[in-house]
């Protein structure tokens, strides 16, 4: 059967209890405190990481908002510059068209004036030729009143013919 020595069992039980108390006091206590300290330190680090992550997200959100504002402002500046360029192009085109129209009108006026001068010159030359021709045909002297009437009639006939 089993030979159990109650004194040895009791001695071993007391030794085990003393060992457990000793370990609880000098080993488990400091190790537990160290573990608790380390756990608090890790939790503090995790909390700091979470706070840093939230701050980073806020900063990223702020930067994205600023970037969106900058992009919108840049688009606004670009569209303003395009609009201004279009207005300037339209103004330049209008000015060029107005200048071309004014130049054309001046040239047409000069052409009309030169045509009128040419007509007057041709009529004068034709009148002189008519007088010379009439003088040769008649080979006589015509009095000045008749002479003026003949020239006036001739100029009117030539004027209506042209």
């Amino acid at each position: 059967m089993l030979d159990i020595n109650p004194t040895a069992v009791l001695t071993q039980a007391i030794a085990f209890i003393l060992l457990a108390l000793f370990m609880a006091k000098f080993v488990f206590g400091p190790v537990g405190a160290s573990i608790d300290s380390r756990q608090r330190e890790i939790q503090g680090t995790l909390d700091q990481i979470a706070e840093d992550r939230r701050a980073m997200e806020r900063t990223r959100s702020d930067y994205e908002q600023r970037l969106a504002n900058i992009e919108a402002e840049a688009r606004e500046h670009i569209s303003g510059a395009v609009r201004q360029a279009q207005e300037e192009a339209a103004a330049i085109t209008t000015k060029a068209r107005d200048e071309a129209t004014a130049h054309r009108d001046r040239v047409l006026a000069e052409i009309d004036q030169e045509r009128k001068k040419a007509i007057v010159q041709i009529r004068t030359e034709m009148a002189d030729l008519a007088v010379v021709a009439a003088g040769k045909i008649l080979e006589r002297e015509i009095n000045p009143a008749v002479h003026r009437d003949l020239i006036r009639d001739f100029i009117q006939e030539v004027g209506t013919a042209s």
Side-chain angles (χ1 to χ4, degrees), residues 8-150:
V9 169
L10 185 64
T11 307
Q12 287 179 356
I14 292 173
F16 180 74
I17 290 173
L18 287 176
L19 180 66
L21 289 174
F22 176 78
M23 293 287 278
K25 175 104 177 154
F26 294 107
V27 176
F28 295 139
V31 169
S34 176
I35 288 174
D36 287 344
S37 170
R38 181 71 178 146
Q39 187 176 7
R40 282 190 301 275
E41 192 177 308
I42 289 172
Q43 187 61 43
T45 303
L46 290 175
D47 291 344
Q48 184 62 41
I49 290 171
E51 180 59 33
D52 290 347
R53 177 174 285 144
R54 286 189 295 272
M56 182 184 68
E57 288 296 323
R58 284 191 303 268
T59 303
R60 184 176 63 84
S61 174
D62 289 345
Y63 282 136
E64 286 175 351
Q65 182 64 36
R66 286 180 187 171
L67 182 60
N69 290 342
I70 289 170
E71 287 175 350
E73 188 176 318
R75 279 191 298 275
E76 191 175 305
H77 283 297
I78 290 170
S79 66
V82 167
R83 191 171 36 255
Q84 182 181 3
Q86 289 173 341
E87 289 171 0
E88 288 177 7
I92 290 170
T93 302
T94 302
K95 182 180 177 184
R97 186 177 300 121
D98 291 345
E99 288 176 359
T101 301
H103 181 69
R104 186 192 74 218
D105 292 345
R106 279 193 310 272
V107 168
L108 288 176
E110 288 175 11
I111 289 172
D112 190 46
Q113 190 177 23
E114 290 297 322
R115 185 180 60 82
K116 288 178 181 177
K117 282 182 186 177
I119 289 172
V120 168
Q121 185 178 5
I122 290 171
R123 285 182 180 170
T124 303
E125 289 178 10
M126 289 176 69
D128 290 344
L129 287 174
V131 169
V132 169
K136 286 187 178 183
I137 291 174
L138 297 175
E139 288 187 337
R140 61 185 170 106
E141 187 66 34
I142 302 175
N143 68 33
V146 173
H147 184 254
R148 275 193 299 274
D149 290 340
L150 286 173

